[in-house]
Structures are given as structure tokens and as C-alpha cells.
Amino acid sequence: MNINRQLGAIFQQMADVHTILGDDRFRINAYARSARALDHLGTEVIDDMASLTALDGIGKSTAQKIVEFLQTGKIVAFEELMGRIPPGLIGLLNIPGLGPKTIATLWNQAGIESLEDLKAKLQTDELTALPRMGKKTLDKLRKSIAFAEKSGGRVRLGMAMGLAHWFVEQLDALPQVQRVQYAGSLRRGRETIGDLDLLVAADPQSAKSISEAFTALEPVTEILLGGQTKTSVRIEQGMQVDLRIVSPDQFGAALMYFTGSQQHNVAMRQLALKQGMSLNEYALTRDGEPVAAQTEQAVYEALGLAWIPPELREDHGELALAQSKSLPKLVTLADIGADLHTHTTASDGSWSIREITQHAIARGYHTLAITDHSKGQAQANGLSEQRLEQHIADIRQVAEELKDEITLLAGSEVDILADGSLDYPDSLLAQLDVVVASPHAALTQEPDKATARLLKAIENPYVTMIGHPTGRLILRREGLSPDMPRVIEAAAQRGIALEINANHYRLDLKDDHARMAIAAGVKLAINTDAHGPADFDQLVYGLFTARRAGAAVEHVINCMDQQTLAAWLQSTRL
Ligand code: DGT
Ligand code: CA
Ligand code: CA
Ligand code: ZN
């Protein structure tokens, strides 16, 4: 379990509940700051007051709570605080766009204590009697609730991955376990995950003891299905985790089956039937005799197919490509040599220019672009024109000092304003090496306005790429719904890149749009948008998304070598 994230979520919830209760700002800010600090921390917290209070954003009282949690598994102050509000109110915090202040109003002035209460009141417009609750706001709220219910119970890839790694580690530590692998939508790298699917290879004799050890793991709160080879549990994070135990000689067929997707499985089974064979979760067989089962490769090969990377197993034409041995050679972590969207303390990041550059060097990157926020992003400490000029000079200085180790580029993540103009004048943009133009505000505008907005930004002569083009936050905020085929076509014409923002809340472009971009000949950028130490590691989620889109090295500018990339960046200038 990722302790930092668990603690971060607790402190954020404490900040929210204090806000709902109308408690003092000072305390609220302290908890919110601690939550952010924990989110960005590179290493796991340990129960030591001195090292905890040394961390930026962690005060003495928060540090004491962290120690309490690490030693006892709970925080008494948190539990007492939760007792002060109706339990149903917490669920309302999951509705996108519904913040603790509004929840306080709904509770205090309309007696709303749960999602059910709120939905009942939204049947009519009676809530317009409350402050800041116009008809438009109510409509937005109705849409948000529908959005939240549609995503029902799914979690973000980045959250599920952390949990899966922890379970894999626990199972791997059991001596009876020969192999363990996560499967399902997680292995396919989908942006949200319904439940975790874990697969273990072991001697059938030991299945019982393995499933007992699994159900006894600390985060398990409920056993949904307690068989010997099939076990399902609910864990404290709310997720369901399925465990299957198979004998080692069936592992490949089982892994293929439980990786899915279901549509891919159906297509595979049909292909097997066509060839006079039969495929199920245990083996590929002919006339009841096993043909292949031990590895996925063997099963695919026996059907005349190349091994298909899990990210492509969605029945989007991958079988035909595997048959003609023309699957794309998907981009991997090792192919990435540059990050072109990162933040420093100049705006809302937690690294200095030098620190982030050293981290990029340590990761073996040949190029790094620093792209702090523009002036309109006041809440993110966006840079005024004057500050940007100074920042460019500061970046150039570090670039000169470290030029033998890395190419450090001066950039900006410039806001695309609601009308499509950029937040800095062209004369200033012209001084930059990289211009990531991103929408941050006005994210509920009508689709045709959003389309016009992005098209206008693409026309700017200095823009290098559009960053997180829709501004969505997965399971939180729908973001813009522009006409993506038109935006992609414009980017292709203009010769600029579209970003896959690797942050697991964003993954924006999403997989389907990235696939369209590749087909249209648009170059993709995969950037982490790093704000702090843990963020470079989010690259894996961007890679999953790119791979689901069928991206190979030649589609991704971060895979270019230093010289090619420099020349490509130049080529985007009109
Ligand atoms: P999720 O959990 O909703 O994010 O999506 P998956 O793909 O992980 O789905 P899940 O957990 O229900 O099942 C895992 C895999 O097991 C699924 O991708 C394919 C396979 N599977 C499950 N049920 C069926 C089925 O009824 N037919 C076939 N052919 N495969 C199935
Ligand atoms: Ca699943
Ligand atoms: Ca499942
Ligand atoms: Zn950014």
C-alpha cells in the first residue's frame, strides 16, 4: 500500500471536513498543505518526528498524526472529526465540481445529508433559494452527478497500479507461489480500473493455503468469494480484488484469459475454432489434447499469431496485425529521452531549476524543457511577463553550466485563454525554445467554442504542442469536448505535436484520440508535467496510453535523439 497516498487522502479529507464545519482557515490550510506535500514526496514516510518535521509542508501536529498512523494504524483525531458530520456528506466530495464550501451550504441551509437527499432536492429548482445556486449551477450539478454515477466505482490507473504492486509483492513472498502477475484492465493499461485481477501459478496442493494467506492480508475487509482457486475480496480502499490460482503448466492460457479484454478473448476463441481448435482459460486444445497453455507466446504462436502486447488486446484489429506479423513495435520506457513539460518553484512546482535538471540527468535524459505557468494562472503562481524574462535568463544560466550533461530548454506552459489567444505576447513566446499551450480555465465551454479555441491556439506561430488538450481530470472533471478530428487535422497541417499528459489524473490525449492523431500523422509528446519528486514516475501511465494507441518510437518526439528533437522543435516555428 502506498502509505504516502493513504495519509495524503486522510489529510485532504480532514481539510475538507473542517471546511464543511466552518472551522478556522489556518487549520484547513495546514492539512491541505500536508496532503499536497505527501502527494509529491519521493520516498515513503517513516515514523520519526525529526525527519517528518524536516519535510516541506509538514508541521509538528501533522507529523505526530503520521507517527500515530504508522504505529497504530489509525488517527484518533481523524475518527473524531468524521464523527462530527453525517457520514453521507463525505460521499458528496466525490461529485466533480462540488466542493466542501458548497456542501456546507447544502447541509446547513437545506438539510442535505447524503447524495440521495441531494438528488431528491434536484428534482425541482428549489435549491435556487440558496446563495450562489443559480439554475445554471444546478444544471451543472445534475450533470456532474450523472458523470460520477456513470464512472461508478472505478479507480484511476495510477491508484490501482500502486495497490496491484503491493498485492503482487505480498503474494510473491509466499514460498508456495511460483509466479504472480496482475491481469485484467490494469495489465492492458486502461485509464480506469473496475477491479484488480491477480493470477498465481502454484502447485494445486497449495492453493488453499495461498488463498487463506491472501484473504488474511491487512487491507482485506470482506471476503466475497472464498473458493480455493477462485477468491474475491473487498479491500479498505473499496476495490474488489480477484485472485485466481492455476497450475504452472496452465499459466499462459489463464493469463491470456484474465488479461482480456473480453472482446479480444471472444475473437481469439473464434479464431481457434476456425482452425479446428478450442481455447479456454486452461488451454488451447485440439480434439481434447492440449496444444499450448504454459506461456502466452505459445498459445498465440500455435494460432499463427505474433504475441500481442496487452495494451492492444481490445479487438481493434490487433488479430489481423498479429497474423500478418505487422504489429507496431510499441514505445517503451527505455525509448524516452526527454521531458518537455515540467514545473519549478518559479510557478507551482517544488523543485528549483537546478534540482529538476539534476533529476532529469539522473534519469538519463538528453533534453529537459522547463515550462512554468503563465500569468493568468494566478493560483499556480503563474509568471508575469517580467518574471518570465528573468526565468528564461535563469534557465539559460543553468543550461550553460550543465550543457555537457543535458540540453536544458527554456519554455512555458502558456494558458490558452477562453477565446483561443495565448496568455503571453508573441514577442515573448519567440524567446522560448518550447511553448506548451494548454487550456486550464473555462473548461465547461460549449464544444464548438472549445474547438475554435484550440484551432486558434494551434495557429499561433510559436506553439510547439497543445498540452492536455481537453483539460479533463479522470473521474473528477469532464473537461472540454472539442471536435477532436478537426483539432487533430489542424495539428497535422500545422506540424505541431499533441501531448499525452502522463499524469494519471489526466492521460489527455486519451488513448482513442492518440490513435487518431497517429493515423493523421501528428507527432505525440509524452510528458509528465512534473511538479515534484514523485512525478517523473508517472511517465509509465502516459506510456500505457500511448501504447494503447499503437504508438511506436517514430510517433513520439520524446523518443527523438537530442539533435533530431532540436531540429524538430525549430521546424514548428512559422
Ligand atoms: P474492469 O475490471 O472492469 O476494469 O475490466 P476487466 O477487463 O479487468 O474485466 P474483469 O475484471 O471483469 O475480467 C477480467 C478478464 O477476464 C476480462 O478482461 C476478460 C476475462 N473475462 C471475464 N469474464 C469473461 C467472460 O464472460 N467471457 C470472456 N470471454 N472473458 C471474460
Ligand atoms: Ca478487472
Ligand atoms: Ca475481475
Ligand atoms: Zn503543466
Side-chain angles (χ1 to χ4, degrees):
M1 210 65 35
N2 186 328
I3 291 284
N4 294 359
R5 254 192 217 159
Q6 220 173 322
L7 280 162
I10 290 175
F11 289 130
Q12 185 54 52
Q13 193 154 322
M14 291 183 82
D16 290 340
V17 173
H18 277 300
T19 309
I20 293 173
L21 288 164
D23 292 338
D24 72 284
R25 287 295 321 155
F26 179 75
R27 210 184 326 198
I28 295 167
N29 290 341
Y31 284 128
R33 203 164 40 242
S34 309
R36 271 200 305 278
L38 286 162
D39 262 0
H40 286 303
L41 214 56
T43 54
E44 227 169 62
V45 288
I46 52 166
D47 81 15
D48 171 64
M49 281 300 286
S51 76
L52 286 171
T53 47
L55 297 170
D56 259 355
I58 308 275
K60 183 163 165 247
S61 127
T62 321
Q64 277 165 345
K65 293 188 177 65
I66 295 175
V67 171
E68 180 188 352
F69 185 78
L70 292 172
Q71 289 178 350
T72 69
K74 62 179 186 176
I75 298 174
V76 171
F78 172 67
E79 293 180 356
E80 283 173 3
L81 182 63
M82 295 302 288
R84 290 174 57 198
I85 63 165
L89 280 187
I90 290 298
L92 291 183
L93 287 165
N94 293 326
I95 307 294
L98 192 55
K101 281 193 189 143
T102 313
I103 294 173
T105 309
L106 292 170
W107 179 35
N108 294 325
Q109 301 190 32
I112 289 169
E113 298 195 344
S114 66
L115 180 59
E116 270 47 57
D117 291 354
L118 177 59
K119 281 166 69 177
K121 296 268 187 198
L122 284 172
Q123 301 280 348
T124 69
D125 280 348
E126 64 178 296
L127 290 177
T128 50
L130 300 183
R132 296 184 310 276
M133 280 283 176
K135 278 198 174 182
K136 260 192 163 170
T137 311
L138 292 191
D139 269 341
K140 261 190 208 166
L141 200 49
R142 290 186 185 104
K143 274 192 196 150
S144 294
I145 292 173
F147 175 74
E149 292 189 330
K150 191 175 68 192
S151 42
R154 300 186 70 83
V155 306
R156 279 175 294 277
L157 176 61
M159 169 73 167
M161 190 60 83
L163 293 169
H165 279 301
W166 186 86
F167 276 103
V168 165
E169 220 172 90
Q170 305 306 309
L171 290 166
D172 221 6
L174 301 173
Q176 315 92 299
V177 169
Q178 298 187 24
R179 276 194 71 181
V180 52
Q181 164 80 61
Y182 58 77
S185 52
L186 183 69
R187 185 162 178 246
R188 305 197 311 280
R190 279 195 58 183
E191 64 189 40
T192 64
I193 307 301
D195 67 10
L196 286 183
D197 302 287
L198 303 171
L199 188 65
V200 156
D203 185 328
Q205 308 272 312
S206 52
K208 185 160 178 275
S209 71
I210 295 169
S211 69
E212 280 170 2
F214 171 67
T215 53
L217 288 172
E218 177 224 299
V220 172
T221 54
E222 193 186 344
I223 299 172
L224 305 168
L225 176 72
Q228 290 202 5
T229 58
K230 292 186 182 184
T231 312
S232 281
V233 299
R234 170 111 25 228
I235 58 173
E236 61 194 18
Q237 288 77 5
M239 260 198 131
Q240 182 178 323
V241 185
D242 294 346
L243 173 69
R244 304 295 151 105
I245 303 169
V246 300
S247 79
D249 55 355
Q250 299 171 328
F251 191 74
L255 181 58
M256 181 189 273
Y257 181 85
F258 292 113
T259 297
S261 66
Q262 191 169 327
Q263 291 83 343
H264 176 84
N265 289 353
V266 169
M268 288 291 292
R269 199 171 309 158
Q270 283 168 348
L271 183 69
L273 287 174
K274 240 194 267 173
Q275 300 183 15
M277 290 181 269
S278 157
L279 178 63
N280 63 22
E281 60 190 274
Y282 305 109
L284 177 69
T285 55
R286 188 189 293 278
D287 305 326
E289 292 298 314
V291 176
Q294 198 169 359
T295 67
E296 285 189 340
Q297 276 88 346
V299 177
Y300 280 111
E301 198 176 303
L303 289 164
L305 304 177
W307 178 80
I308 301 177
E311 294 91 335
L312 295 178
R313 301 182 194 173
E314 298 288 351
D315 196 25
H316 288 335
E318 69 275 12
L319 262 60
L321 292 176
Q323 221 152 13
S324 57
K325 307 280 168 356
S326 48
L327 285 165
K329 192 170 175 295
L330 300 182
V331 55
T332 68
L333 193 59
D335 297 322
I336 301 288
D339 200 324
L340 299 170
H341 179 171
T342 65
H343 297 267
T344 69
T345 48
S347 63
D348 59 347
S350 51
W351 274 321
S352 67
I353 299 171
R354 203 176 302 274
E355 282 167 338
I356 192 169
T357 308
Q358 293 293 2
H359 277 91
I361 292 169
R363 286 183 81 97
Y365 288 168
H366 59 70
T367 300
L368 173 74
I370 289 177
T371 56
D372 280 299
H373 288 288
S374 62
K375 62 177 193 274
Q377 287 299 299
Q379 79 294 344
N381 191 22
L383 279 66
S384 67
E385 286 158 30
Q386 227 172 0
R387 282 185 63 215
L388 178 57
E389 292 198 13
Q390 181 59 49
H391 194 42
I392 295 172
D394 295 344
I395 294 169
R396 300 262 182 248
Q397 191 181 337
V398 176
E400 179 59 29
E401 284 169 32
L402 297 174
K403 68 168 187 265
D404 293 337
E405 292 172 85
I406 196 165
T407 302
L408 180 62
L409 302 176
S412 168
E413 179 178 22
V414 62
D415 242 40
I416 305 175
L417 305 177
D419 67 355
S421 57
L422 301 188
D423 197 22
Y424 289 128
D426 284 0
S427 56
L428 189 50
L429 297 177
Q431 297 177 42
L432 298 165
D433 309 311
V434 174
V435 174
V436 180
S438 316
H440 287 104
L443 295 175
T444 53
Q445 68 187 164
E446 294 300 314
D448 51 344
K449 283 206 180 126
T451 307
R453 175 188 193 176
L454 295 182
L455 293 181
K456 184 164 175 201
I458 289 169
E459 288 311 314
N460 179 282
Y462 298 103
V463 71
T464 318
M465 71 185 82
I466 303 295
H468 51 71
T470 74
R472 72 164 178 172
L473 293 179
I474 295 171
L475 304 181
R476 282 262 165 99
R477 175 170 86 198
E478 204 136 25
L480 302 172
S481 312
D483 182 344
M484 280 314 281
R486 279 187 67 196
V487 170
I488 286 165
E489 187 49 40
Q493 292 287 330
R494 171 71 179 77
I496 63 163
L498 294 175
E499 177 183 78
I500 294 175
N501 191 293
N503 186 299
H504 77 276
Y505 278 85
R506 294 194 181 274
L507 300 177
D508 179 15
L509 299 174
K510 65 170 169 174
D511 47 13
D512 293 343
H513 293 155
R515 181 177 283 272
M516 281 165 55
I518 290 173
V522 175
K523 293 276 187 229
L524 299 173
I526 309 174
N527 297 318
T528 62
D529 198 356
H531 283 72
D535 292 348
F536 273 147
D537 292 334
Q538 303 237 5
L539 186 56
V540 292
Y541 307 121
L543 278 163
F544 268 125
T545 301
R547 290 166 60 90
R548 288 177 60 79
V553 164
E554 64 267 27
H555 302 124
V556 180
I557 60 173
N558 311 66
C559 301
M560 293 173 172
D561 63 36
Q562 187 270 329
Q563 286 184 345
T564 313
L565 178 58
W568 183 84
L569 291 171
Q570 265 307 315
S571 78
T572 62
R573 306 241 136 165
L574 292 182

